[in-house]
Amino acid sequence: MCGIVGFTGTRPASPILIEGLKRLEYRGYDSAGVAVEEGSRIQVVCRTGKISTLEQSLAQFSLTGPCGIGHTRWATHGTPSEVNAHPHLSCDGKIAIVHNGIIENHEELRRILEGRGHTFTSQTDSEVIVHLIEDAYSMLAFDSSEEDDLADAEGARRPHTPTSELAAGKPSLLAQAVSMACGFLIGSWAICVMTEYEPGKIVCARKESPLVIGRGAAGVHVASDVAALADLVGEVAVLADGQIAELAPHGFVVFGSHDDELIRVRPETMKLSGRSDTADRGQYADFMLKEIYEQPRVIRDTLEGRFDGGELTIEELGLTHEELNLIDRVYLIACGTSYHASLVAKNLIEGWARIPCEVEVASEFRYRNPIVTPSTLVVAVSQSGETADTLAAIRDARIKGAKVFGITNVLGSPVARESDGVIYTKANKEVAVASTKSFTGQLVSLTLLAMLLAQSKGRLKQGQMRLLFRELASTAAQAEQILKDTERVHQAALASKDAKSAMFIGRGMGAAVAEEGALKLKEVSYLHAEAYPAGEMKHGPIALIEPGFPVIAVATESPTYEKVLSNIQEAKARGAMVVAVATEGDERISEHADEVIYIPKIRDAFSPITAIIPLQLLARDIALLRGCNIDQPRNLAKSVTVE
Ligand code: AGP
């Protein structure tokens, strides 16, 4: 979703901002803009569409100023357009802001501000922030000039420059004005602000939306995502909720709020690897394909070092066997693909550990009153680690006293920081909006968690654990084998590409794989797809089937294989074009399905890890045949940071 970058230093800001925005492109956006201090003025340039369009426009302006802020916008309030794109300016054009998040009370604030004479130029919720800051600033500036007059009279007036304020550790007028303005906001925000009144300075504030700050060779950088800062800074300060940061060309300070006073605090810091995974898609045509092919590596990396000495260990969870043994209920909370990985895990946790497990979409969980007690384990699964609904669910669960684990792909992400323990999925940066390799990382991590719970409950003995672990590890080689021959997938794509709609079916583990397969197809090819547990088909969805209608069946070897085969025949009898994902050696299936994609034989518990691969490839292949943008599907954002 929206992305923020900012820079103040000794080099022209504009190219640095553009480079940062490009690194955030993967998050999804529909317009972009920058504000750069040019001489004594703030120059704003916004464009709809791609960053490259903004970059071309900027070339005409020849901006050289060394301080600026930039933004990619994913429209929530107001259409994607230049007027709604950030940065937004105050009425006098002297203050500029960029904002990530949602201001829930924006309508009320807009009414009040308009009543006070402010003129709005956009339909966004964000614009209220800059007008609030404008009011707060003029009030504080008035008070301060009164004080300065007094100090002048006493011969004690101090110079009013950003650097001297930073050195003194005192908040500037802008920082105070931002802090005051935030006091009126309800919702979530990460904001960066600059003003002509205080050249060379950027003030940042956050609540629930991330912001990180780092010192580089040419100045100080701020961004909403560390991806924008890789290679530029070695370490970042992670701004916490309620903190305000003030950036100047040679350093930055962070303030916390105590009794309405801004007091300097030491921020939490995080080292960066210095590697930007976003840059290179290598030999692959798109990131989605590259990431699909990375899955064998993800499986190996996620398993590495987990089963040394004959026992499964996940130290990051920070719980003893005894504490794990006390857990009597598990909630898996997630959205989208992460939700589908959780559906698989429910079967494993209940099957192996015999602990009741519920899987819930985070946006529902947060508004219910679920039964959560101190012996409940809440597992938040999120690739990005910053999904707003999942974060809200974590907070809610913690208030209710539950232990919360995060399963995430992003080091130091809000999910990681706000959970009691965290498992990293080792997928490395996922750039394509459609999740593929992170699904695999989640499946493997959740499988380990299920095994650990079963081990702690004494339900799985050492020998069984060893056997399971060995089989789990073998999925890496199997994934490689599947990826070597994709011809049958391509045939299935050709047979399905002109359809208007498709149905995915499966049972047990296969039902969760079907859900994820349908989501992939919808996301990247815009072909309508639904997933049903195969047994549900005759309770309604079968009415959709007509000659040529694609039914994609997950029919791998499992206790319900015969049932799935019957469902395939029911679909076939009504003219469906059936594509089946089946286990090597299954000859019966080819009598009933039009296209069969074989995968190697594997235990049912682990079959989702390999069965999903042909469906990921199928979705991408169909999307290519339909001429879609594979990595950045329309309307979608990689990180869903608003509700
Ligand atoms: C998956 O392809 C989607 N991009 C989307 O459903 C995603 O899984 C969902 O938004 C959850 O994101 P998260 O894992 O980062 O929390």
Side-chain angles (χ1 to χ4, degrees), residues 239-260:
L239 211 60
D241 268 0
Q243 289 182 340
I244 304 264
E246 210 174 298
L247 282 54
H250 302 293
F252 66 93
V253 288
V254 176
F255 300 99
S257 178
H258 298 278
D259 297 331
D260 286 343

mmCIF file of all heavy atoms in Angstrom, residues 239-260:
data_model
loop_
_atom_site.group_PDB
_atom_site.id
_atom_site.type_symbol
_atom_site.label_atom_id
_atom_site.label_comp_id
_atom_site.label_asym_id
_atom_site.label_seq_id
_atom_site.Cartn_x
_atom_site.Cartn_y
_atom_site.Cartn_z
ATOM 1 N N LEU A 239 10.790 3.912 14.713
ATOM 2 C CA LEU A 239 9.948 4.843 15.473
ATOM 3 C C LEU A 239 8.808 4.065 16.139
ATOM 4 O O LEU A 239 8.165 3.236 15.488
ATOM 5 C CB LEU A 239 9.383 5.902 14.506
ATOM 6 C CG LEU A 239 9.129 7.285 15.091
ATOM 7 C CD1 LEU A 239 10.419 7.874 15.630
ATOM 8 C CD2 LEU A 239 8.550 8.205 14.024
ATOM 9 N N ALA A 240 8.575 4.323 17.407
ATOM 10 C CA ALA A 240 7.490 3.622 18.106
ATOM 11 C C ALA A 240 6.230 4.483 18.080
ATOM 12 O O ALA A 240 6.294 5.690 17.825
ATOM 13 C CB ALA A 240 7.906 3.359 19.545
ATOM 14 N N ASP A 241 5.102 3.840 18.344
ATOM 15 C CA ASP A 241 3.834 4.573 18.391
ATOM 16 C C ASP A 241 3.944 5.771 19.321
ATOM 17 O O ASP A 241 4.437 5.659 20.444
ATOM 18 C CB ASP A 241 2.728 3.646 18.922
ATOM 19 C CG ASP A 241 2.015 2.956 17.787
ATOM 20 O OD1 ASP A 241 2.379 3.189 16.620
ATOM 21 O OD2 ASP A 241 1.089 2.167 18.079
ATOM 22 N N GLY A 242 3.501 6.906 18.848
ATOM 23 C CA GLY A 242 3.468 8.106 19.679
ATOM 24 C C GLY A 242 4.757 8.900 19.647
ATOM 25 O O GLY A 242 4.800 10.020 20.153
ATOM 26 N N GLN A 243 5.822 8.339 19.067
ATOM 27 C CA GLN A 243 7.093 9.093 19.036
ATOM 28 C C GLN A 243 7.119 10.064 17.854
ATOM 29 O O GLN A 243 6.442 9.871 16.852
ATOM 30 C CB GLN A 243 8.278 8.126 18.922
ATOM 31 C CG GLN A 243 8.503 7.350 20.217
ATOM 32 C CD GLN A 243 9.696 6.419 20.150
ATOM 33 O OE1 GLN A 243 10.159 6.050 19.071
ATOM 34 N NE2 GLN A 243 10.184 6.019 21.313
ATOM 35 N N ILE A 244 7.916 11.122 18.042
ATOM 36 C CA ILE A 244 8.102 12.134 16.997
ATOM 37 C C ILE A 244 9.603 12.198 16.707
ATOM 38 O O ILE A 244 10.401 12.215 17.645
ATOM 39 C CB ILE A 244 7.669 13.528 17.513
ATOM 40 C CG1 ILE A 244 6.222 13.508 18.011
ATOM 41 C CG2 ILE A 244 7.945 14.625 16.487
ATOM 42 C CD1 ILE A 244 5.183 13.954 17.050
ATOM 43 N N ALA A 245 9.978 12.203 15.447
ATOM 44 C CA ALA A 245 11.410 12.316 15.118
ATOM 45 C C ALA A 245 11.645 13.582 14.331
ATOM 46 O O ALA A 245 10.786 14.020 13.556
ATOM 47 C CB ALA A 245 11.854 11.113 14.302
ATOM 48 N N GLU A 246 12.829 14.145 14.551
ATOM 49 C CA GLU A 246 13.192 15.363 13.849
ATOM 50 C C GLU A 246 14.487 15.108 13.100
ATOM 51 O O GLU A 246 15.491 14.732 13.710
ATOM 52 C CB GLU A 246 13.395 16.447 14.901
ATOM 53 C CG GLU A 246 13.068 17.788 14.393
ATOM 54 C CD GLU A 246 13.142 18.810 15.516
ATOM 55 O OE1 GLU A 246 12.380 18.685 16.480
ATOM 56 O OE2 GLU A 246 13.956 19.724 15.398
ATOM 57 N N LEU A 247 14.458 15.247 11.793
ATOM 58 C CA LEU A 247 15.621 14.942 10.971
ATOM 59 C C LEU A 247 16.246 16.229 10.464
ATOM 60 O O LEU A 247 15.532 17.127 9.983
ATOM 61 C CB LEU A 247 15.211 14.123 9.745
ATOM 62 C CG LEU A 247 14.928 12.629 9.862
ATOM 63 C CD1 LEU A 247 13.894 12.310 10.927
ATOM 64 C CD2 LEU A 247 14.461 12.090 8.517
ATOM 65 N N ALA A 248 17.560 16.312 10.546
ATOM 66 C CA ALA A 248 18.313 17.426 9.966
ATOM 67 C C ALA A 248 19.434 16.799 9.142
ATOM 68 O O ALA A 248 19.682 15.593 9.262
ATOM 69 C CB ALA A 248 18.854 18.316 11.077
ATOM 70 N N PRO A 249 20.137 17.571 8.306
ATOM 71 C CA PRO A 249 21.116 16.964 7.401
ATOM 72 C C PRO A 249 22.180 16.119 8.093
ATOM 73 O O PRO A 249 22.696 15.184 7.513
ATOM 74 C CB PRO A 249 21.743 18.178 6.709
ATOM 75 C CG PRO A 249 20.711 19.247 6.797
ATOM 76 C CD PRO A 249 19.983 19.021 8.077
ATOM 77 N N HIS A 250 22.514 16.431 9.340
ATOM 78 C CA HIS A 250 23.628 15.704 9.957
ATOM 79 C C HIS A 250 23.198 14.803 11.107
ATOM 80 O O HIS A 250 24.039 14.270 11.821
ATOM 81 C CB HIS A 250 24.700 16.693 10.442
ATOM 82 C CG HIS A 250 25.211 17.530 9.320
ATOM 83 N ND1 HIS A 250 25.942 16.990 8.298
ATOM 84 C CD2 HIS A 250 25.036 18.839 9.024
ATOM 85 C CE1 HIS A 250 26.227 17.941 7.422
ATOM 86 N NE2 HIS A 250 25.681 19.069 7.842
ATOM 87 N N GLY A 251 21.936 14.628 11.317
ATOM 88 C CA GLY A 251 21.516 13.749 12.394
ATOM 89 C C GLY A 251 20.022 13.830 12.649
ATOM 90 O O GLY A 251 19.306 14.575 11.981
ATOM 91 N N PHE A 252 19.579 13.037 13.618
ATOM 92 C CA PHE A 252 18.154 13.081 13.963
ATOM 93 C C PHE A 252 17.981 12.807 15.448
ATOM 94 O O PHE A 252 18.862 12.211 16.079
ATOM 95 C CB PHE A 252 17.360 12.076 13.129
ATOM 96 C CG PHE A 252 17.693 10.632 13.395
ATOM 97 C CD1 PHE A 252 16.975 9.899 14.314
ATOM 98 C CD2 PHE A 252 18.736 10.018 12.715
ATOM 99 C CE1 PHE A 252 17.287 8.564 14.559
ATOM 100 C CE2 PHE A 252 19.056 8.688 12.957
ATOM 101 C CZ PHE A 252 18.327 7.960 13.875
ATOM 102 N N VAL A 253 16.880 13.283 15.990
ATOM 103 C CA VAL A 253 16.539 12.978 17.383
ATOM 104 C C VAL A 253 15.103 12.469 17.429
ATOM 105 O O VAL A 253 14.292 12.780 16.553
ATOM 106 C CB VAL A 253 16.665 14.211 18.321
ATOM 107 C CG1 VAL A 253 18.102 14.585 18.554
ATOM 108 C CG2 VAL A 253 15.876 15.377 17.783
ATOM 109 N N VAL A 254 14.845 11.674 18.469
ATOM 110 C CA VAL A 254 13.497 11.105 18.622
ATOM 111 C C VAL A 254 12.949 11.565 19.967
ATOM 112 O O VAL A 254 13.667 11.579 20.970
ATOM 113 C CB VAL A 254 13.547 9.561 18.541
ATOM 114 C CG1 VAL A 254 12.168 8.961 18.789
ATOM 115 C CG2 VAL A 254 14.076 9.119 17.172
ATOM 116 N N PHE A 255 11.694 11.957 19.954
ATOM 117 C CA PHE A 255 11.040 12.428 21.176
ATOM 118 C C PHE A 255 9.860 11.527 21.519
ATOM 119 O O PHE A 255 9.160 11.034 20.625
ATOM 120 C CB PHE A 255 10.486 13.848 20.987
ATOM 121 C CG PHE A 255 11.543 14.862 20.648
ATOM 122 C CD1 PHE A 255 11.751 15.252 19.336
ATOM 123 C CD2 PHE A 255 12.330 15.427 21.646
ATOM 124 C CE1 PHE A 255 12.714 16.184 19.012
ATOM 125 C CE2 PHE A 255 13.309 16.369 21.333
ATOM 126 C CZ PHE A 255 13.507 16.750 20.014
ATOM 127 N N GLY A 256 9.685 11.329 22.808
ATOM 128 C CA GLY A 256 8.479 10.682 23.284
ATOM 129 C C GLY A 256 7.646 11.742 23.971
ATOM 130 O O GLY A 256 8.167 12.803 24.334
ATOM 131 N N SER A 257 6.379 11.443 24.154
ATOM 132 C CA SER A 257 5.514 12.448 24.759
ATOM 133 C C SER A 257 5.235 12.093 26.221
ATOM 134 O O SER A 257 4.792 10.981 26.510
ATOM 135 C CB SER A 257 4.225 12.515 23.941
ATOM 136 O OG SER A 257 3.372 13.424 24.528
ATOM 137 N N HIS A 258 5.568 13.017 27.138
ATOM 138 C CA HIS A 258 5.297 12.789 28.563
ATOM 139 C C HIS A 258 4.601 14.023 29.108
ATOM 140 O O HIS A 258 5.156 15.120 29.059
ATOM 141 C CB HIS A 258 6.595 12.561 29.346
ATOM 142 C CG HIS A 258 7.324 11.352 28.890
ATOM 143 N ND1 HIS A 258 7.013 10.078 29.306
ATOM 144 C CD2 HIS A 258 8.329 11.216 27.991
ATOM 145 C CE1 HIS A 258 7.813 9.214 28.712
ATOM 146 N NE2 HIS A 258 8.615 9.877 27.907
ATOM 147 N N ASP A 259 3.386 13.830 29.628
ATOM 148 C CA ASP A 259 2.599 14.954 30.160
ATOM 149 C C ASP A 259 2.586 16.121 29.177
ATOM 150 O O ASP A 259 2.905 17.269 29.544
ATOM 151 C CB ASP A 259 3.175 15.449 31.501
ATOM 152 C CG ASP A 259 3.105 14.375 32.553
ATOM 153 O OD1 ASP A 259 2.187 13.541 32.444
ATOM 154 O OD2 ASP A 259 3.967 14.350 33.448
ATOM 155 N N ASP A 260 2.268 15.823 27.912
ATOM 156 C CA ASP A 260 2.167 16.845 26.872
ATOM 157 C C ASP A 260 3.492 17.523 26.535
ATOM 158 O O ASP A 260 3.526 18.496 25.805
ATOM 159 C CB ASP A 260 1.120 17.925 27.242
ATOM 160 C CG ASP A 260 -0.279 17.385 27.078
ATOM 161 O OD1 ASP A 260 -0.408 16.351 26.389
ATOM 162 O OD2 ASP A 260 -1.213 17.975 27.630
#
